[in-house]
Amino acid sequence: MKILGIDTSSMAASVAVIEDNKLICEYTINTKKTHSQKLMPMIENMLGLSDLNVREIDAIAVCEGPGSFTGLRIGMATAKAIAHVNDIPVIGVNSLEALAANMNLCDKKICSILDAQRNQVYTGRYQYEGTKLVEIKEIGIQQIDEILEELAQSGEQWILVGEAVYKYEDKIREISNIEIPAASNNVTKAGSLCSVAKVKFDEGKDIFDCYTVNPLYIRKSQAEEQYEEKQRKLEAERKLQEQK
């Protein structure tokens, strides 16, 4: 079984193909170039260099979020298009469990973080029980200082993984029971995404078609929040005018 993985949840874009439990190819670019510019060329180049045809793919693994709103939409639209044309299933994997899967030989607890702006991060907590990745706290959004205090006071050893680590690295390194992985493991990897997706497929979990898979948003986009704030102000002004 060949699975094509697509992850555009963060600044990095990553694509990969696994066959059963073997990684065939993986391509990751961690630059500021937009996902709309780099995703399709990455997929085409990777498949071409690996002598693979997209018609050989049996399923698509896509990162459903949370993360960059624009990035998620681009990755999801691409996954849906490939799945539709080839009539294959789509397996949804959230970005935080995919990051945690980078640490598959880790005996510490794992906290994944992605930047959510305003000193907040998208976060989830995991640990490996044997070879199985287990969620120990569901994904959500928290203040970074709140997370660091919780981990510091836990009395347990933690690995903190995800690109938000670099934004708060000085604070993190002050805490003795938290470690940061090597840069090669601290970025979204479509190979890890595919590995999680293969387990889900075997268990019959989070399997969709091109019509039913959708991004996972923890909160509204900045544009939506600004629109709602504008509407609240307009409503307040209208009521004030009515009272005069």
Coordinates of all heavy atoms in Angstrom, one line a residue, residues 127-165:
Q127 N 2.5 10.4 24.3 CA 3.6 9.6 24.7 C 3.5 8.3 23.9 O 2.5 7.9 23.4 CB 3.6 9.3 26.2 CG 2.4 8.4 26.7 CD 2.4 8.2 28.2 OE1 3.1 8.9 28.9 NE2 1.6 7.2 28.6
Y128 N 4.7 7.6 23.8 CA 4.7 6.3 23.2 C 4.6 5.2 24.2 O 5.2 5.2 25.2 CB 6.0 6.2 22.4 CG 5.9 6.7 21.0 CD1 6.3 8.0 20.6 CD2 5.4 5.8 20.0 CE1 6.1 8.4 19.3 CE2 5.3 6.3 18.7 CZ 5.7 7.6 18.4 OH 5.5 8.0 17.1
E129 N 3.6 4.3 23.9 CA 3.4 3.1 24.7 C 3.9 2.0 23.7 O 3.1 1.5 22.9 CB 2.0 3.0 25.1 CG 1.6 4.0 26.1 CD 0.1 3.9 26.6 OE1 -0.6 3.0 26.1 OE2 -0.3 4.7 27.4
G130 N 5.1 1.5 23.9 CA 5.7 0.6 22.9 C 5.9 1.4 21.6 O 6.6 2.4 21.6
T131 N 5.3 0.9 20.6 CA 5.4 1.6 19.3 C 4.2 2.4 18.9 O 4.1 3.0 17.8 CB 5.6 0.5 18.1 OG1 4.4 -0.4 18.1 CG2 6.9 -0.3 18.4
K132 N 3.2 2.5 19.8 CA 2.0 3.2 19.6 C 2.0 4.6 20.2 O 2.3 4.8 21.4 CB 0.8 2.4 20.2 CG -0.6 3.0 19.8 CD -1.7 2.1 20.3 CE -3.1 2.7 20.0 NZ -3.3 2.9 18.6
L133 N 1.7 5.6 19.4 CA 1.6 7.0 19.9 C 0.2 7.2 20.5 O -0.8 7.0 19.9 CB 1.8 7.9 18.7 CG 1.7 9.4 19.0 CD1 2.9 9.8 19.9 CD2 1.7 10.3 17.8
V134 N 0.2 7.6 21.8 CA -1.0 7.8 22.5 C -1.2 9.3 22.9 O -0.3 9.9 23.4 CB -1.0 6.9 23.8 CG1 -2.3 7.1 24.6 CG2 -0.9 5.4 23.4
E135 N -2.4 9.8 22.7 CA -2.7 11.2 23.1 C -3.0 11.2 24.6 O -3.8 10.4 25.1 CB -3.9 11.7 22.3 CG -4.3 13.1 22.6 CD -5.5 13.6 21.9 OE1 -6.6 13.1 22.3 OE2 -5.4 14.3 20.9
I136 N -2.3 12.0 25.4 CA -2.5 12.1 26.8 C -3.2 13.4 27.2 O -3.7 13.6 28.3 CB -1.2 11.9 27.6 CG1 -0.2 12.9 27.2 CG2 -0.7 10.5 27.5 CD1 1.1 12.8 28.0
K137 N -3.3 14.4 26.3 CA -4.1 15.6 26.5 C -4.5 16.1 25.1 O -3.7 16.3 24.2 CB -3.3 16.7 27.2 CG -4.1 17.9 27.5 CD -3.4 19.0 28.4 CE -4.3 20.1 28.7 NZ -3.5 21.2 29.5
E138 N -5.8 16.3 24.9 CA -6.3 16.6 23.6 C -5.8 18.0 23.1 O -5.4 18.8 24.0 CB -7.9 16.6 23.6 CG -8.5 17.7 24.5 CD -10.0 17.6 24.5 OE1 -10.6 16.6 24.0 OE2 -10.6 18.6 25.1
I139 N -5.8 18.2 21.8 CA -5.3 19.4 21.2 C -6.1 20.6 21.6 O -7.3 20.5 21.8 CB -5.1 19.2 19.7 CG1 -6.5 19.0 19.1 CG2 -4.2 18.1 19.4 CD1 -6.5 19.0 17.6
G140 N -5.5 21.7 21.7 CA -6.1 23.0 22.1 C -5.2 24.1 21.8 O -4.2 24.0 21.2
I141 N -5.6 25.3 22.4 CA -4.7 26.5 22.3 C -4.5 27.0 23.7 O -5.4 27.1 24.5 CB -5.4 27.5 21.3 CG1 -4.5 28.7 21.1 CG2 -6.8 27.9 21.9 CD1 -5.0 29.6 19.9
Q142 N -3.2 27.4 24.0 CA -2.9 27.8 25.3 C -1.8 28.9 25.2 O -1.1 29.0 24.3 CB -2.3 26.7 26.2 CG -3.3 25.8 26.8 CD -2.6 24.8 27.7 OE1 -2.1 23.7 27.3 NE2 -2.5 25.1 29.0
Q143 N -1.7 29.7 26.3 CA -0.6 30.6 26.5 C 0.6 29.9 26.7 O 0.7 28.9 27.4 CB -0.9 31.6 27.7 CG -2.0 32.5 27.5 CD -1.7 33.7 26.6 OE1 -0.6 34.1 26.4 NE2 -2.7 34.2 25.9
I144 N 1.7 30.3 26.0 CA 3.0 29.5 26.1 C 3.5 29.5 27.6 O 4.0 28.5 28.1 CB 4.1 30.1 25.2 CG1 5.3 29.3 25.2 CG2 4.3 31.6 25.5 CD1 5.2 27.8 24.8
D145 N 3.3 30.6 28.3 CA 3.8 30.6 29.7 C 3.0 29.6 30.6 O 3.6 29.0 31.5 CB 3.7 32.0 30.3 CG 4.7 33.0 29.7 OD1 5.7 32.6 29.2 OD2 4.4 34.2 29.7
E146 N 1.8 29.5 30.3 CA 0.9 28.5 31.0 C 1.4 27.1 30.8 O 1.5 26.3 31.7 CB -0.5 28.7 30.6 CG -1.5 27.8 31.3 CD -2.9 27.9 30.8 OE1 -3.2 29.0 30.2 OE2 -3.7 27.0 30.9
I147 N 1.7 26.8 29.5 CA 2.2 25.4 29.2 C 3.5 25.2 29.9 O 3.7 24.1 30.5 CB 2.4 25.3 27.7 CG1 1.0 25.3 27.0 CG2 3.2 24.0 27.3 CD1 1.1 25.2 25.5
L148 N 4.5 26.1 29.8 CA 5.8 25.9 30.4 C 5.7 25.7 31.9 O 6.4 24.9 32.4 CB 6.7 27.1 30.0 CG 7.0 27.2 28.5 CD1 8.0 28.4 28.3 CD2 7.6 25.9 27.9
E149 N 4.8 26.5 32.5 CA 4.7 26.3 34.0 C 4.1 24.9 34.3 O 4.6 24.2 35.2 CB 3.7 27.4 34.5 CG 3.6 27.3 36.0 CD 2.7 28.4 36.6 OE1 2.3 29.3 35.8 OE2 2.5 28.4 37.8
E150 N 3.1 24.5 33.5 CA 2.5 23.1 33.8 C 3.6 22.0 33.6 O 3.7 21.1 34.4 CB 1.4 22.9 32.8 CG 0.1 23.7 33.1 CD -0.9 23.4 32.1 OE1 -0.8 22.5 31.2 OE2 -2.0 24.1 32.1
L151 N 4.4 22.1 32.5 CA 5.4 21.1 32.3 C 6.5 21.2 33.4 O 7.0 20.1 33.9 CB 6.0 21.3 30.9 CG 5.1 21.2 29.7 CD1 5.9 21.2 28.4 CD2 4.2 20.0 29.8
A152 N 6.9 22.4 33.8 CA 7.9 22.5 34.8 C 7.5 21.9 36.1 O 8.3 21.3 36.9 CB 8.3 24.0 35.0
Q153 N 6.2 22.1 36.4 CA 5.7 21.6 37.7 C 5.3 20.1 37.7 O 4.9 19.6 38.7 CB 4.5 22.5 38.1 CG 4.8 23.9 38.4 CD 5.8 24.1 39.5 OE1 5.8 23.5 40.5 NE2 6.7 25.1 39.3
S154 N 5.3 19.5 36.5 CA 4.8 18.1 36.4 C 5.7 17.1 37.1 O 5.2 16.0 37.4 CB 4.7 17.8 34.9 OG 6.0 17.6 34.3
G155 N 7.0 17.4 37.2 CA 7.9 16.4 37.8 C 8.3 15.3 36.8 O 8.9 14.3 37.2
E156 N 8.0 15.5 35.5 CA 8.3 14.5 34.5 C 9.2 15.1 33.5 O 9.3 16.3 33.3 CB 7.0 14.0 33.9 CG 6.1 13.3 34.8 CD 4.8 12.9 34.2 OE1 4.0 13.8 33.8 OE2 4.5 11.7 34.1
Q157 N 9.8 14.3 32.7 CA 10.7 14.7 31.6 C 9.9 14.9 30.3 O 9.1 14.0 30.0 CB 11.9 13.7 31.4 CG 12.8 13.6 32.6 CD 13.5 14.9 32.9 OE1 14.1 15.5 32.0 NE2 13.5 15.3 34.1
W158 N 10.1 16.0 29.6 CA 9.4 16.3 28.4 C 10.3 16.7 27.3 O 11.4 17.2 27.4 CB 8.5 17.5 28.7 CG 7.3 17.3 29.6 CD1 7.3 17.3 31.0 CD2 6.0 16.9 29.2 NE1 6.1 17.0 31.4 CE2 5.3 16.7 30.4 CE3 5.4 16.6 28.0 CZ2 3.9 16.3 30.4 CZ3 4.1 16.3 27.9 CH2 3.3 16.1 29.1
I159 N 9.8 16.4 26.1 CA 10.4 16.8 24.8 C 9.4 17.8 24.2 O 8.2 17.5 24.1 CB 10.6 15.7 23.8 CG1 11.7 14.8 24.3 CG2 10.9 16.3 22.4 CD1 13.1 15.3 24.1
L160 N 9.8 19.0 23.9 CA 9.0 20.0 23.3 C 9.3 20.2 21.8 O 10.5 20.5 21.5 CB 9.2 21.4 24.0 CG 8.0 22.4 24.0 CD1 6.7 21.8 24.5 CD2 8.4 23.6 24.9
V161 N 8.4 19.9 20.9 CA 8.7 19.8 19.5 C 7.7 20.6 18.7 O 6.6 20.8 19.0 CB 8.6 18.3 19.0 CG1 7.3 17.7 19.3 CG2 9.0 18.2 17.6
G162 N 8.2 21.3 17.6 CA 7.4 22.1 16.8 C 8.1 23.4 16.5 O 8.9 23.9 17.3
E163 N 7.8 24.1 15.4 CA 8.5 25.3 15.0 C 8.3 26.4 16.0 O 9.2 27.4 16.1 CB 8.1 25.7 13.6 CG 6.7 26.3 13.5 CD 6.4 26.7 12.0 OE1 7.1 26.3 11.1 OE2 5.5 27.6 11.9
A164 N 7.3 26.4 16.8 CA 7.1 27.5 17.9 C 8.2 27.4 18.9 O 8.4 28.4 19.7 CB 5.7 27.4 18.5
V165 N 8.9 26.3 19.0 CA 10.0 26.1 19.9 C 11.0 27.3 19.7 O 11.6 27.8 20.7 CB 10.7 24.8 19.8 CG1 12.1 24.8 20.4 CG2 9.8 23.7 20.4

